[in-house]
Amino acid sequence: MKLMLLLTFTALAVFDSQKRGAHSCPDLCSCSFQLLGAEVVCSQRSLTHFPLKGLPSNTTRLSIQSSNLSSITASHLRAVPLLNRLQLYHVNLINLTSQLLSAVPHLDTLDLTGNQLAHLPPNIFKHGSLHDLVLKNNQFEKADAAWFPKNSSLTWLDLSGNHITSIPAALLQRLPHLQDLDLSDNNLQELQGDIFKSLHHLETLNLAGNKLSSLRPATFAQNLRLKQLFLQENQLRELPATLLQSLQHLDLLLLNQNQLQQLPAGLLDGRKSSFQIILTGNPWECDEKMEYLWKWLTVHPENVPFLEGVICDSPKTLRHQPVRSLTEGQLGI
């Protein structure tokens, strides 16, 4: 009987300890407790170490922001085996280990925005079932296919705001489930002709803020589900007439702030009624080669936000005049 009472009290003590542990909260952090797990947010500059003490064991979301954490290891993450969302935002990370995610097999989202990462070890993202990965505003000069396993489950990859000069086709071949790819604000100067051919589920592609001067006709030929294409703030001088031919679901195309002088005949044919295109900030040459775009703007003004900002750059006699307002005589047609 005494043994039974002892075992009962021991079990109750363990249960009580676990319960209190699940509802504790680390210093310099705030915690919210829900039925399916705890959410922990740590955003104090004075935080210099991973907040192990008091970290709820049932934490499913952990966000460490604007601190001086500087390092994190797999042993830290073993304290939160149920984690499905991890944000390490502006915490001065420089290096990560290849086994970092091995202790969090349920991790769905990893956000490493605003750190000092320039290199990552091979196979770092082979663990768990990552769907969303954000590597925005780091120091990467290249992206390595070896980071990912073959047939990765990733659906969203954000590599924006780095110093990447090229994207290897081998990397994207390992990410066949991607729906959203952000490569904006890098140093891309050229894209391989078939770079995106394995991305059959791609819906949003952001290439804005790079140094692209041209695109091959078949660049997006295999991306049949593409809905949003961001090409603004590049150095595009011309576009192939068949560039958008396969993109029957395209809803939004941004071409503003490039070096386009005209659009080739047929480029915008067959667009959906909901299609929107932004064309401002280009040096449009208003001569007979402008006929196609002029007619398209006249027929589809509702598809062009900031229509009055689509203005001639040359000849001098027409400079600053809205393209839509031109006459056949002015265009010489």
Side-chain angles (χ1 to χ4, degrees), residues 25-165:
C25 191
D27 293 338
L28 305 177
C29 302
S30 62
C31 301
S32 60
F33 301 96
Q34 299 157 4
L35 184 62
L36 298 178
E39 180 173 353
V40 180
V41 177
C42 311
S43 56
Q44 298 293 324
R45 181 64 62 183
S46 55
L47 182 68
T48 57
H49 296 86
F50 188 83
L52 274 176
K53 187 177 181 181
L55 189 62
S57 58
N58 64 340
T59 298
T60 57
R61 295 190 171 198
L62 174 60
S63 179
I64 304 177
Q65 311 169 17
S66 302
S67 73
N68 287 301
L69 182 66
S70 74
S71 68
I72 184 172
T73 66
S75 62
H76 292 142
L77 295 181
R78 289 192 187 100
V80 283
L82 303 179
L83 199 66
N84 59 46
R85 184 180 181 90
L86 176 60
Q87 182 186 54
L88 300 170
Y89 187 92
H90 286 285
V91 294
N92 294 312
L93 292 176
I94 298 176
N95 297 301
L96 299 176
T97 66
S98 60
Q99 297 299 313
L100 177 66
L101 306 181
S102 60
V104 284
H106 306 291
L107 195 69
D108 177 87
T109 301
L110 177 61
D111 188 338
L112 296 168
T113 296
N115 286 288
Q116 303 300 315
L117 299 168
H119 304 281
L120 292 175
N123 299 315
I124 184 170
F125 302 122
K126 72 175 182 180
H127 303 286
S129 55
L130 264 186
H131 286 92
D132 299 344
L133 176 60
V134 182
L135 298 171
K136 180 179 180 179
N137 293 345
N138 277 276
Q139 302 297 320
F140 295 110
E141 294 184 1
K142 65 178 183 177
D144 195 338
W147 295 346
F148 302 97
K150 293 181 179 179
N151 198 30
S152 166
S153 58
L154 217 61
T155 58
W156 177 30
L157 175 60
D158 186 345
L159 281 164
S160 64
N162 283 283
H163 311 292
I164 298 172
T165 56

Side-chain angles (χ1 to χ4, degrees), residues 206-309:
N206 194 340
L207 294 166
N210 280 284
K211 298 178 181 179
L212 300 172
S213 59
S214 64
L215 295 170
R216 292 179 173 85
T219 301
F220 311 117
Q222 304 301 318
N223 310 124
L224 306 185
R225 298 188 184 185
L226 199 63
K227 295 180 180 179
Q228 299 183 95
L229 178 57
F230 301 94
L231 294 169
Q232 73 272 25
E233 298 175 16
N234 275 281
Q235 299 172 13
L236 295 170
R237 296 183 177 278
E238 58 183 6
L239 297 175
T242 58
L243 183 68
L244 310 177
Q245 194 171 61
S246 302
L247 308 183
Q248 299 304 307
H249 298 285
L250 194 65
D251 288 318
L252 180 62
L253 173 61
L254 270 59
L255 288 170
N256 48 296
Q257 274 67 49
N258 275 284
Q259 297 298 315
L260 297 169
Q261 294 183 323
Q262 60 266 324
L263 294 185
L267 178 71
L268 302 177
D269 289 1
R271 295 299 102 197
K272 300 166 58 177
S273 60
S274 59
F275 174 71
Q276 299 281 288
I277 182 171
I278 298 180
L279 296 164
T280 55
N282 284 283
W284 300 110
E285 186 175 347
C286 294
D287 56 17
E288 68 278 1
K289 295 178 183 178
M290 180 58 70
E291 181 179 4
Y292 173 74
L293 178 57
W294 171 69
K295 286 184 176 179
W296 196 90
L297 295 178
T298 302
V299 176
H300 303 282
E302 70 282 357
N303 298 97
V304 190
F306 317 112
L307 178 58
E308 295 306 309

